[in-house]
């Protein structure tokens, strides 16, 4: 049976979009030969965040009561005692600990923040990495959000099962923060008895993103660590957090179409239409045009409103047989690219 547990930290409908950042920067502190202090710069490119949580994962080789440390953001102490919310002991005696900090009143976004951990212990402590979950306010957009963090250790042949209810059925996105012990280990993920993904050839701390999952009122998420004859150590897969969220909108969706193409020798005049078929504005849309590997166009459109259509006319030189236009934009923090290939007449 898997060891450990996950605790609920966000279970509500929030106003805005989910902001997520994961750092898998493994560092050893304390003991006799490692530094006592670790500093990391957290860069947040969004101007404003709310409901901000920092989840820090560490591994010990001695009881937590024998560890003293201080965690601070921008010199402001956020913890002075080693009191993790979740601990899980492995068969080899090492202990996983997970600390979750509510930084909603400290981190506002739009800048860099210095995270500092000062540690004093007789044996080394391993900082495996951390995850930052926040909410980017956006007018007219709400997100049904469920965030659980902690530590669950899943040995080969074991299955971790998480049952959950949601406010409304529909399409959800799922994010799992997991530590895979070996590229030979395999993990099957199923939702409501439907297989959705197999994790293999992964090593270390990974953020697993699963999108467009249909979720009903009562749901069962199962994470199964396959039995394997391959030798690897440690034998367990560690699960640190589950983030589930459903957006009240579909986001921006950019489409390109060619309206006019005329060419004379190496010169071409190409007029294209750019449309936002989504339901929220698209910011900083980048249009590029390539021909035979050469960039001929780079155009930035600051904002394109929902259902808005604009035309761009490009006079190009040294056009080969075709020009490929690409529209690059961000959709809920992920980059999307749509293409249009225009053939010379």
């Amino acid at each position: 049976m898997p060891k450990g547990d996950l605790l609920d930290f966000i279970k509500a409908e929030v106003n805005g979009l989910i902001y997520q950042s994961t750092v898998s920067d493994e560092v050893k502190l304390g003991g006799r030969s490692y530094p006592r202090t670790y500093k990391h710069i957290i860069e947040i490119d969004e101007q404003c965040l709310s409901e901000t949580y920092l989840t820090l994962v560490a591994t010990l080789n001695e009881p937590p009561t024998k560890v003293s440390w201080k965690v601070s953001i921008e010199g402001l102490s956020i913890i002075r005692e080693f009191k993790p919310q979740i601990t899980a002991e492995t068969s080899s005696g090492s202990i996983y600990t997970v600390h979750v900090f509510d930084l909603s009143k400290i981190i506002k976004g739009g800048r860099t923040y210095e995270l500092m951990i000062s540690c004093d212990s007789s044996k080394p402590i391993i900082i495996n990495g951390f995850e930052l979950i926040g909410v980017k306010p956006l007018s007219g957009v709400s997100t049904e959000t469920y965030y659980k963090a902690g530590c669950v250790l899943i040995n080969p042949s074991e299955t971790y099962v998480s049952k959950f209810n949601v406010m409304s059925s529909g399409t959800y996105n799922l994010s799992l923060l997991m530590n895979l012990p070996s590229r030979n280990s395999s993990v099957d993920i199923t939702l409501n008895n439907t297989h959705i993904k197999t994790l293999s050839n992964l090593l270390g701390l990974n953020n697993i993103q699963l999108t467009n999952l249909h979720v009903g009122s009562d749901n069962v998420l199962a994470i199964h660590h396959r039995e394997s004859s391959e030798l690897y150590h440690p034998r367990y897969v560690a699960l640190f957090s589950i983030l589930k969220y459903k957006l009240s909108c579909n986001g921006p969706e950019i489409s390109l179409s060619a309206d006019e193409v005329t060419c004379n020798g190496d010169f071409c005049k190409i007029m294209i239409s750019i449309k936002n078929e989504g339901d929220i504005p698209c910011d900083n849309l980048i249009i590029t045009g390539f021909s035979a590997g050469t960039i001929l166009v780079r155009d930035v459109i600051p904002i394109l409103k929902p259902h808005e259509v604009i035309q761009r006319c490009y006079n190009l030189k040294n056009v080969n047989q075709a020009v490929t236009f690409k529209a690059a934009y961000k959709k809920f923090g992920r980059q999307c690219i749509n293409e249009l290939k225009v053939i010379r007449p």
Side-chain angles (χ1 to χ4, degrees):
M1 182 176 179
K3 295 181 179 179
D5 197 7
L6 300 180
L7 303 180
D8 289 320
F9 286 94
I10 305 178
K11 193 176 183 179
E13 188 171 58
V14 297
N15 295 320
L17 303 173
I18 291 297
Y19 178 88
Q20 183 180 34
S21 177
T22 302
V23 176
S24 55
D25 186 14
E26 185 171 290
V27 176
K28 290 185 178 180
L29 297 176
R32 297 183 178 181
S33 56
Y34 296 104
R36 294 292 190 268
T37 301
Y38 164 66
K39 294 181 180 179
H40 186 88
I41 298 299
I42 301 174
E43 184 174 359
I44 301 176
D45 51 4
E46 300 295 346
Q47 291 300 315
C48 186
L49 292 179
S50 61
E51 296 277 355
T52 309
Y53 288 87
L54 178 70
T55 299
L56 181 67
V57 180
T59 308
L60 318 178
N61 286 310
E62 62 181 352
T65 54
K66 294 186 178 181
V67 178
S68 64
W69 73 347
K70 174 184 174 183
V71 183
S72 62
I73 293 280
E74 290 297 290
L76 178 64
S77 176
I78 57 178
I79 187 171
R80 289 184 176 275
E81 296 182 8
F82 196 88
K83 290 185 177 180
Q85 283 94 341
I86 290 290
T87 61
E89 185 173 356
T90 71
S91 57
S92 62
S94 60
I95 301 173
Y96 269 113
T97 66
V98 176
H99 299 255
V100 182
F101 306 103
D102 186 350
L103 304 182
S104 302
K105 296 182 180 179
I106 301 174
I107 287 183
K108 295 302 179 184
R111 50 171 289 195
T112 59
Y113 296 83
E114 184 182 71
L115 171 69
M116 186 176 74
I117 301 173
S118 300
C119 171
D120 188 12
S121 63
S122 59
K123 295 182 180 180
I125 292 178
I126 300 175
I127 307 296
N128 300 97
F130 57 86
E131 178 179 55
L132 185 72
I133 299 294
V135 179
K136 173 190 173 184
L138 184 62
S139 176
V141 178
S142 62
T143 306
E144 188 181 326
T145 307
Y146 304 87
Y147 181 63
K148 304 177 72 171
C151 182
V152 175
L153 303 179
I154 311 170
N155 287 300
S157 77
E158 292 183 339
T159 302
Y160 172 72
V161 176
S162 174
K163 298 180 180 180
F164 63 95
N165 299 322
V166 295
M167 299 177 190
S168 59
S169 302
T171 301
Y172 283 73
N173 297 313
L174 181 65
S175 171
L176 304 172
L177 185 64
M178 304 178 67
N179 189 78
L180 284 302
S182 168
R183 297 189 187 278
N184 294 323
S185 60
S186 295
V187 176
D188 292 319
I189 302 173
T190 60
L191 179 63
N192 298 330
N193 295 321
T194 301
H195 179 269
I196 55 178
K197 192 175 183 66
T198 295
L199 308 180
S200 60
N201 200 31
L202 296 176
L203 179 64
L205 192 65
N206 285 269
N207 183 282
I208 312 301
Q209 296 284 338
L210 305 169
T211 59
N212 300 323
L213 303 176
H214 182 72
V215 170
S217 55
D218 297 317
N219 305 278
V220 177
L221 175 70
I223 301 173
H224 175 68
H225 184 183
R226 289 186 190 176
E227 184 66 74
S228 173
S229 59
E230 299 285 347
L231 296 178
Y232 53 86
H233 181 80
R235 292 292 287 173
Y236 50 81
V237 168
L239 170 67
F240 300 121
S241 72
I242 299 177
L243 171 67
K244 301 182 289 286
Y245 60 97
K246 175 190 175 184
L247 297 157
S248 63
C249 58
N250 296 319
E253 191 68 42
I254 303 301
S255 63
L256 304 174
S257 61
D259 296 335
E260 179 184 345
V261 182
T262 56
C263 295
N264 184 8
D266 289 339
F267 292 88
C268 283
K269 176 184 177 182
I270 301 177
M271 184 175 292
I272 65 172
S273 290
I274 307 164
K275 182 179 180 180
N276 182 3
E277 299 179 347
D279 48 14
I280 65 173
C282 180
D283 297 325
N284 297 320
L285 171 63
I286 300 177
I287 305 295
T288 55
F290 301 83
S291 182
T294 303
I295 298 180
L296 304 179
V297 175
R298 191 182 188 279
D299 190 7
V300 179
I301 301 172
I303 187 169
L304 193 62
K305 298 177 181 179
H307 310 299
E308 182 182 5
V309 181
I310 63 172
Q311 285 187 322
R312 284 289 199 267
C313 184
Y314 301 112
N315 295 304
L316 308 179
K317 184 181 178 181
N318 298 326
V319 175
N320 202 347
Q321 296 299 316
V323 179
T324 300
F325 290 95
K326 292 185 178 182
Y329 59 99
K330 282 192 173 182
K331 183 176 181 178
F332 306 137
R334 298 188 298 273
Q335 187 180 55
C336 296
I337 298 178
N338 287 350
E339 292 188 5
L340 169 67
K341 190 172 184 179
V342 179
I343 307 296
R344 284 183 58 131

